[in-house]
Amino acid sequence: MQFDSWQAFINMGGYGIYVWSSFAGTFLCLGLLALEATWRRSILVREATKQAARAERILRARAAKKQAARKN
Amino acid sequence: MLQANPVSAWKVFKQIIQRDIRVASRQRSDLLNPLIFLLIVVTLFPLGVGPGPDILGRIAPGVIWVSALLSSMLGLERLFRDDFRDGALEQMLLLPVPVEISVFAKIVVHWLLTAVPVLVITPLLALLMNLPIQAWGVLWLTLLLGTPVLSAAGAIGVALTVSLNKGGALLSLLLLPLLIPLLIFATAAVEAAVVGVSPAGPLALIGAFMVLSITLAPFAVKAGLRVSVN
Amino acid sequence: MWRWLHPYAKPEATFALNQKLIPWFAIPGLVLVIVSFVWGLAFAPPDYQQGESYRIIFVHVPSAMWAMGFYVGMAIAGVIALVWQIRTAELAILAIAPVGAVLTFISLFTGAIWGQPMWGTWWVWDARLTAQLILLFLYLGVMALYVAFEDERAGAKAASILAIVGVINIPIIHYSVYWWNTLHQKSTVTRAITRLEAPSIAPEMLWPLLVSILAMLLVCAALVLMRLNNEILRREIHRPWALQHLGISFATTDGEQSGKQENKKDQKGGADAV
């Protein structure tokens, strides 16, 4: 450990703002990339679920219609 | 009209050059406008930074070269655009000669039509920018060696963007970063001549760029055209 | 090698492989990020010239290195896409480019922040910074060209060609910028920078740096794979294998025949992959 206290660690020998802002910026950029990827994935899943449900409804309705026609 | 005997590549090369010169001679404004643009941009610099001859002389190589780069971007699109619109480009890809030959012919024509006028007015530009007289010859030489690079690299960019409706700004975005080495060495050569040092090194490098670009570009252009025309 | 690679030309095989690989990249990557940053920030000794400010190196150098590395990777994907016409490689360009551009941006951003206390300005026309800025432009050009086409596959091929032309140009740009920099080196600031590079780095600093370089690679590779899987999913979302993978029940009465065939093929592809 190079630093005696938390205070010194945050301060970074007077360069705290530069060091911490560059680390924060890096994490922010990479984090945004990761967030964007998971967000897009969840949108895709949601849309696919919707579409699959819709296709199933249509098929069921079609089958019902066919059955009704056969009965008649 | 079907020809029984095989078409010679040299004949195709000559005919593309003749045809393109004829087409260009019917739309002269297309050729004149980039030239006028170049003159105006060079005129703007003394107005912007002040007319002191020492400042102008110092920034002259950079200004003239940057202006030449920008003005060449303006006229580049007509390298393939009209041919793409009227379908001639598709025919060119179907010719029974290597596409690289036809592409090379297009590049040569483009150089003749756009770079030669720039080479003619270079002394005027040097005069306007107060370039020391001992550097005029080197400036002319850098343009002579560098403009083929512009035409060849430009052909790659145009081949990739010709099928897009709004390719103009995109074309500059693609090409200008790739042309930075040319700018660096061209201005370095002229600056060396201004100072009185031998400009042979940068000039040789520009010559190498020229050889590299005109030998490799036709292959990339061919691939790009295949993507754009399908 | 072809026999080994060929199954991955099928999007579903790549998707399954990526899905398996992502945790193997992401988890060690995150662990190593924490290890290297704690090591670098708290335990590595301060630099005798720059004091504590040099600690920015642990994000600056890895991002700068992989900004270049990912561009080469993108160009290789471009070659594969052009030569073998593999769809997955085309999508890989779209997955790599934004990650590479963000890495380039990070290296410029941290470089500027580092420059402020050391050189007194945010931006110096230092050769390295300039070359990195041009690399950012190259990335932007590839992405802009990709999305400019209406036909996506044409866009992918155009972007591949541009990436390859760019990768031939990168060494030329690099050397020209370095040469230009030495030619124009008039300010004492830039001289100070080059002098700072001269002393070789102490091993106590080198080790955390190497770990941080590896960590950045793993994390960014995981990001690329995540993006690649998103791109694959977006194109294949209506295919039975995709729905099956996502655990979505799908109607089979209509397209039963084709659906079954797809599944069989999928299993076969998976077996080959293993």
Side-chain angles (χ1 to χ4, degrees):
Chain A
M1 194 72 180
Q2 292 292 327
F3 300 94
D4 314 326
S5 62
W6 273 108
Q7 212 68 44
F9 184 55
I10 302 292
N11 193 33
M12 280 283 161
Y15 295 119
I17 185 158
Y18 302 113
V19 173
W20 291 114
S21 63
S22 59
F23 273 78
T26 307
F27 274 113
L28 188 72
C29 288
L30 293 178
L32 280 180
L33 268 181
L35 266 185
E36 193 250 14
T38 45
W39 177 67
R40 266 230 240 149
R41 172 97 183 225
S42 70
I43 284 185
L44 279 172
V45 171
R46 206 182 311 145
E47 273 177 8
T49 320
K50 247 192 241 164
Q51 284 233 327
R54 182 166 174 273
E56 213 169 305
R57 271 204 309 278
I58 290 174
L59 279 180
R60 211 174 293 147
R62 209 178 281 161
K65 212 187 251 173
K66 242 184 221 165
Q67 256 182 357
R70 217 173 281 152
K71 261 182 198 165
N72 288 344
Chain B
M1 218 171 40
L2 282 172
Q3 279 181 327
N5 51 335
V7 186
S8 93
W10 172 240
K11 211 169 171 183
V12 169
F13 183 81
K14 253 191 338 202
Q15 277 186 347
I16 287 179
I17 288 184
Q18 281 170 359
R19 169 187 169 277
D20 276 18
I21 289 178
R22 203 174 305 137
V23 168
S25 68
R26 285 174 193 157
Q27 335 168 299
R28 290 195 199 95
S29 69
D30 265 14
L31 296 177
L32 268 179
N33 288 349
L35 209 62
I36 296 169
F37 175 83
L38 173 61
L39 259 178
I40 290 178
V41 171
V42 170
T43 319
L44 287 179
F45 273 90
L47 296 173
V49 300
D54 45 332
I55 300 181
L56 284 186
R58 216 177 63 222
I59 62 171
V63 168
I64 293 172
W65 255 97
V66 170
S67 315
L69 268 183
L70 294 180
S71 76
S72 79
M73 290 294 128
L74 280 187
L76 263 183
E77 270 203 312
R78 51 171 301 284
L79 193 53
F80 292 125
R81 190 193 52 205
D82 294 342
D83 283 356
F84 176 75
R85 293 226 174 113
D86 64 18
L89 198 59
E90 217 170 327
Q91 302 301 314
M92 195 184 93
L93 290 181
L94 295 174
L95 282 177
V97 292
V99 179
E100 288 86 351
I101 302 268
S102 338
V103 167
F104 186 60
K106 298 291 273 188
I107 294 174
V108 169
V109 176
H110 182 260
W111 182 80
L112 284 175
L113 292 174
T114 59
V116 171
V118 171
L119 288 173
V120 171
I121 66 161
T122 304
L124 181 60
L125 300 178
L127 185 82
L128 283 174
M129 287 305 293
N130 248 316
L131 189 72
I133 194 103
Q134 72 267 23
W136 285 27
V138 176
L139 174 67
W140 198 81
L141 262 181
T142 58
L143 283 167
L144 179 70
L145 292 173
T147 43
V149 182
L150 293 185
S151 294
I156 301 176
V158 179
L160 289 174
T161 55
V162 71
S163 64
L164 305 171
N165 286 327
K166 36 187 198 293
L170 185 62
L171 186 63
S172 319
L173 173 63
L174 305 185
L175 283 178
L176 289 176
L178 296 177
L179 293 172
I180 285 171
L182 179 63
L183 176 68
I184 289 175
F185 288 112
T187 50
V190 182
E191 274 169 11
V194 170
V195 185
V197 187
S198 159
L203 274 179
L205 276 165
I206 299 173
F209 291 160
M210 183 188 84
V211 173
L212 189 75
S213 61
I214 61 177
T215 45
L216 291 185
F219 297 99
V221 173
K222 178 179 153 193
L225 289 178
R226 287 260 159 85
V227 172
S228 291
V229 182
N230 56 23
Chain C
M1 194 174 97
W2 184 240
R3 275 176 75 95
W4 180 77
L5 273 180
H6 192 252
Y8 296 105
K10 272 166 79 71
E12 53 258 55
T14 321
F15 185 88
L17 179 74
N18 286 353
Q19 212 62 17
K20 260 182 248 153
L21 284 180
I22 287 170
W24 285 98
F25 281 111
I27 294 168
L30 287 175
V31 170
L32 284 182
V33 162
I34 294 168
V35 167
S36 70
F37 286 1
V38 169
W39 192 354
L41 280 170
F43 293 95
D47 187 72
Y48 76 102
Q49 264 178 326
Q50 307 196 8
E52 312 291 355
S53 78
Y54 93 96
R55 296 183 194 278
I56 295 174
I57 204 174
F58 298 112
V59 284
H60 179 72
V61 166
S63 56
M65 267 185 71
W66 295 122
M68 191 71 75
F70 276 52
Y71 194 94
V72 176
M74 187 172 76
I76 292 171
V79 171
I80 295 171
L82 279 182
V83 175
W84 290 292
Q85 311 271 323
I86 291 175
R87 189 80 197 280
T88 326
E90 292 173 9
L91 297 178
I93 297 171
L94 202 52
I96 296 173
V99 178
V102 166
L103 280 175
T104 320
F105 172 76
I106 290 175
S107 71
L108 284 170
F109 171 75
T110 53
I113 290 180
W114 200 357
Q116 174 59 23
M118 285 301 103
W119 315 328
T121 59
W122 297 104
W123 182 261
V124 179
W125 287 98
D126 166 58
R128 235 160 300 193
L129 288 178
T130 314
Q132 208 69 10
L133 186 64
I134 297 169
L135 184 67
L136 183 63
F137 293 151
L138 291 178
Y139 270 121
L140 293 180
V142 170
M143 286 195 281
L145 188 62
Y146 201 117
V147 297
F149 278 80
E150 256 169 49
D151 172 20
E152 222 207 303
R153 300 207 67 173
K157 288 202 187 100
S160 314
I161 297 169
L162 185 67
I164 295 164
V165 172
V167 103
I168 295 172
N169 241 286
I170 277 183
I172 301 177
I173 291 175
H174 242 246
Y175 284 111
S176 65
V177 168
Y178 274 79
W179 196 79
W180 159 80
N181 196 244
T182 47
L183 188 79
H184 286 262
Q185 209 174 68
K186 284 163 193 152
S187 67
T188 49
V189 171
T190 31
R191 275 210 207 115
I193 300 162
T194 36
R195 211 183 48 231
L196 280 182
E197 309 299 338
S200 61
I201 188 164
E204 303 91 74
M205 297 175 186
L206 183 64
W207 277 109
L209 182 62
L210 290 178
V211 175
S212 71
I213 288 171
L214 181 64
M216 189 68 99
L217 173 65
L218 290 175
V219 166
C220 290
L223 284 174
V224 165
L225 292 181
M226 278 162 77
R227 293 185 58 91
L228 178 58
N229 267 5
N230 277 351
E231 300 297 338
I232 292 176
L233 261 191
R234 212 176 87 210
R235 271 86 187 171
E236 311 255 319
I237 193 76
H238 300 305
R239 300 267 306 277
W241 72 262
L243 293 174
Q244 213 169 38
H245 184 92
L246 295 175
I248 299 168
S249 64
F250 53 97
T252 43
T253 20
D254 201 37
E256 195 166 32
Q257 214 59 33
S258 65
K260 263 188 182 164
Q261 271 173 0
E262 284 300 334
N263 289 348
K264 262 184 206 156
K265 257 192 218 163
D266 194 2
Q267 280 164 3
K268 247 171 80 186
D272 282 354
V274 174

